[in-house]
Amino acid sequence: MTAQSVKIKPFHDQKPGTSGLRKKTRDFMRPQYLEAFIQATFNAIGGGHGKAFVIGGDGRFFNAEAIQTIVKIAAANGASRLIIGQNGILSTPAASHLIRKYGTDGGFILSASHNPGGIDEDFGVKFNAANGGPAPEALTAKMFNETKALGSYEISDQPDIDLTRIGTTKITAMQVEIVDPVSDYLALMEELFDFNAISALFAGGFRMCFDAMHAVTGPYAHAILEDRLGAPKGTVVNGIPKEDFGKGHPDPNPIWAKTLMDLMMSDKAPDLGAASDGDGDRNMIVGRGAYVTPSDSLAVLAANAHLAPAYAKGLAGIARSMPTSAASDRVAARLGIGQYETPTGWKFFGNLLDAGRVTICGEESAGTGSDHVREKDGLWAVLLWLNILAKRNLSVAQILTDHWATYGRDYYSRHDFEAIEASKADALVTELSDKLPDLPGQSFAGLTVTKADEFSYHDPVDGSVSTHQGLRVYFDGGGRAVFRLSGTGTEGATLRIYLEHYEPAEGDHSQDPQTALAPLRDAAYTLSRLTDHTGRSDPDVRT
């Protein structure tokens, strides 16, 4: 093997978002595009000489080819050890666990998360740091600066490695280990949860349906739910990962997991329905006739976490992203533990977790996790729900009803307006931002604004400040609307409007969320001049 230096012109569109660099697959397939980003990442971390890395992805189109390229660049940059999931497969939480367990210097995770896959769809690359979590903002800023100045990349001329065979090989001085993607993760889950209680639950006739959406969690769910815990064969559906996710959209919400939702709302519904996304870090939970919003799921899991062995001694604190409802805040207050509100993006939880300030974290975008890794973890959330159901002997609907009777209910919904022309989305946000100081006291669609601001985050651990993290408008009666441009899409701009209304414990918890939130929706759309700016009046996705 020899290494060569390839001269290139720098790319100027490789700024990582909240979860790495995401583009259309064909963009990554352009000559030198992927190579440039990987080399820029090595440069940003001080080079690869003598370092170890985990590599894996969700199996989407171009996953295997991208891994071969990363291996060759790692070799040319002097890496000493690579740990790669068999067939190039690793869920994002499993990759985080391997980074932490084997003490590597970081990892490359190939995924565009919940976005569709295929040659004409989306691809992504994310670098996770040595703590197992997504690269912090300071590092992604260095990576972006490197991409804009990069004049060459280093790559070896070695042949492709065999990703199918478990075992260890050497490429000159670099050790390459192909590992079972599931075994280490399964062992971790056995440490966290009462598998005997969950096995007894299934043995007693409990039924569930887990939709892996032809994404990465299929092998994990088969191994854990069916093989280890004894759930009947067929509990896991769409369990074979496919390059295009079976031409589906691997986003676990009521829109894209409609088949599961229809089942759970029918008279044939099992006791629990669950789904996970492309790379395995998100989850959807739904009981028989009872959809659980991600915000409520976070709150319920936090309130009942003590029922699982790993959390029996209590929680250090709870963290949520700013757009997530305040339901988990009420749990933290009752437990007398810390509560933290961060910007969107799991990387913001990393400092809190590393400092021992929080144990459980969550985002309204269906991500929930704990200090066992430094990523959100879809299967972890499903297993914690199963542990709780096994211990409480109640249905999902009964657990929700009991929770609302104790803490009150945060009616919540997110409205997504996708592929908006970027200039129009920017104009809406800029105009709304400019008028925030004048909004208090004004009324829109019958609701009066009490407070309005732009969210900034002061990290209590390292003192860093993150600004421009979303616009918040509060209304009399306990309502809140948040406006934010998403960083996870690959076309145009996605405007997300988050609506939340709190109903106290003694209030009415039986309303349909869209009905309960209709006045707030009308006020939010009106004050933002949504239709004037975008020509839209209905969201593409409502969750």
Side-chain angles (χ1 to χ4, degrees):
M1 182 205 83
T2 59
Q4 57 181 321
S5 182
V6 180
K7 293 187 180 300
I8 62 170
K9 292 182 179 180
F11 294 94
H12 294 276
D13 64 342
Q14 294 188 332
K15 183 177 182 179
T18 56
S19 295
L21 180 66
R22 291 185 190 170
K23 297 286 183 180
K24 287 299 181 185
T25 306
R26 290 186 187 275
D27 286 331
F28 275 101
M29 295 173 70
R30 292 160 54 194
Q32 304 179 336
Y33 192 87
L34 173 64
E35 291 88 340
F37 185 71
I38 299 303
Q39 184 64 60
T41 301
F42 276 117
N43 292 354
I45 64 172
H49 186 74
K51 294 180 179 177
F53 302 95
V54 169
I55 304 175
D58 60 16
R60 68 179 58 225
F61 187 89
F62 194 56
N63 185 76
E65 296 87 344
I67 288 175
Q68 298 289 357
T69 296
I70 295 173
V71 170
K72 294 172 184 178
I73 294 177
N77 277 269
S80 63
R81 183 187 185 194
L82 301 181
I83 300 171
I84 306 173
Q86 185 181 25
N87 298 313
I89 294 291
L90 275 177
S91 76
T92 290
S96 179
H97 175 51
L98 290 180
I99 292 169
R100 295 170 61 78
K101 178 176 180 177
Y102 294 107
T104 71
D105 297 280
F108 293 90
I109 300 175
L110 286 70
S111 174
S113 187
H114 55 291
N115 293 9
I119 192 169
D120 293 314
E121 296 296 348
D122 299 342
F123 193 79
V125 178
K126 178 173 69 168
F127 182 77
N128 278 32
N131 74 338
E137 284 195 320
L139 179 52
T140 57
K142 287 183 181 179
M143 292 161 59
F144 184 42
N145 288 335
E146 287 288 341
T147 66
K148 293 185 292 184
L150 194 70
S152 65
Y153 63 87
E154 308 300 313
I155 192 166
S156 73
D157 61 0
Q158 70 192 48
D160 287 353
I161 62 173
D162 185 355
L163 295 174
T164 67
R165 180 178 295 180
I166 291 175
T168 301
T169 59
K170 272 208 165 188
I171 301 173
T172 62
M174 184 174 74
Q175 179 174 293
V176 179
E177 301 170 52
I178 307 299
V179 300
D180 181 337
V182 176
S183 58
D184 284 308
Y185 179 84
L186 190 158
L188 176 62
M189 295 300 107
E190 287 180 316
E191 295 175 8
L192 300 178
F193 301 113
D194 188 341
F195 271 26
N196 289 335
I198 300 173
S199 295
L201 183 71
F202 283 120
F206 183 92
R207 296 184 304 126
M208 76 173 291
C209 178
F210 180 89
D211 188 351
M213 305 189 87
H214 288 302
V216 77
T217 52
Y220 296 84
H222 280 302
I224 297 173
L225 297 176
E226 295 180 348
D227 298 343
R228 177 63 178 82
L229 292 172
K233 296 296 183 182
T235 292
V236 179
V237 299
N238 300 322
I240 299 175
K242 294 185 177 180
E243 288 188 333
D244 62 354
F245 305 114
K247 302 191 183 304
H249 190 139
D251 192 352
N253 64 48
I255 304 300
W256 300 119
K258 186 177 184 301
T259 301
L260 178 62
M261 283 296 295
D262 288 346
L263 170 65
M264 296 307 300
M265 300 301 153
S266 74
D267 57 7
K268 297 180 181 179
D271 300 287
L272 177 68
S276 192
D277 69 329
D279 66 330
D281 63 359
R282 300 184 184 214
N283 71 91
M284 182 176 80
I285 299 295
V286 56
R288 186 183 293 117
Y291 169 65
V292 185
T293 70
S295 293
D296 274 346
S297 184
L298 170 63
V300 169
L301 292 179
N304 294 275
H306 62 280
L307 298 174
Y311 314 104
K313 294 182 180 180
L315 309 178
I318 305 169
R320 65 170 174 87
S321 65
M322 180 273 288
T324 304
S325 90
S328 62
D329 298 3
R330 308 181 208 289
V331 175
R334 181 173 288 253
L335 294 177
I337 59 177
Q339 186 281 318
Y340 299 87
E341 182 181 34
T342 74
T344 295
W346 204 261
K347 59 190 176 185
F348 292 102
F349 295 138
N351 279 350
L352 298 170
L353 290 164
D354 288 345
R357 295 200 180 201
V358 300
T359 306
I360 286 183
C361 309
E363 297 185 317
E364 53 69 38
S365 54
T368 329
S370 83
D371 57 357
H372 69 290
V373 290
R374 293 298 181 267
E375 287 280 3
K376 44 189 178 280
D377 189 345
L379 266 176
W380 169 90
V382 174
L383 289 168
L384 183 48
W385 265 98
L386 284 168
N387 201 141
I388 292 166
L389 290 165
K391 293 293 187 178
R392 294 195 62 180
N393 197 30
L394 297 173
S395 70
V396 172
Q398 289 170 330
I399 288 176
L400 277 179
T401 300
D402 177 70
H403 187 88
W404 295 333
T406 303
Y407 297 95
R409 181 177 185 182
D410 289 83
Y411 285 104
Y412 187 87
S413 184
R414 189 181 88 189
H415 293 189
D416 290 1
F417 297 84
E418 299 176 339
I420 300 173
E421 187 178 324
S423 61
K424 294 180 178 179
D426 289 339
L428 183 153
V429 171
T430 299
E431 178 183 284
L432 180 55
S433 178
D434 289 344
K435 65 184 183 184
L436 286 176
D438 301 322
L439 288 179
Q442 295 189 47
S443 294
F444 301 89
L447 294 183
T448 301
V449 176
T450 58
K451 184 174 71 171
D453 63 13
E454 183 171 31
F455 180 61
S456 294
Y457 178 61
H458 295 252
D459 191 303
V461 178
D462 64 15
S464 62
V465 178
S466 300
T467 59
H468 308 299
Q469 296 296 324
L471 309 180
R472 304 184 294 186
V473 181
Y474 298 84
F475 298 87
D476 56 356
R480 182 184 77 153
V482 173
F483 301 80
R484 179 177 166 272
L485 295 180
S486 171
T488 60
T490 60
E491 286 185 282
T494 296
L495 173 68
R496 302 199 197 282
I497 301 178
Y498 310 82
L499 306 172
E500 176 183 1
H501 172 74
Y502 177 63
E503 190 71 29
E506 63 275 10
D508 180 6
H509 305 146
S510 63
Q511 298 180 68
D512 176 89
Q514 300 305 326
T515 301
L517 293 166
L520 185 60
R521 173 204 63 205
D522 294 343
Y525 285 16
T526 300
L527 73 87
S528 64
R529 297 202 309 118
L530 173 71
T531 303
D532 292 340
H533 280 290
T534 68
R536 310 272 190 93
S537 57
D538 291 305
D540 297 281
V541 179
R542 182 186 291 110
T543 54

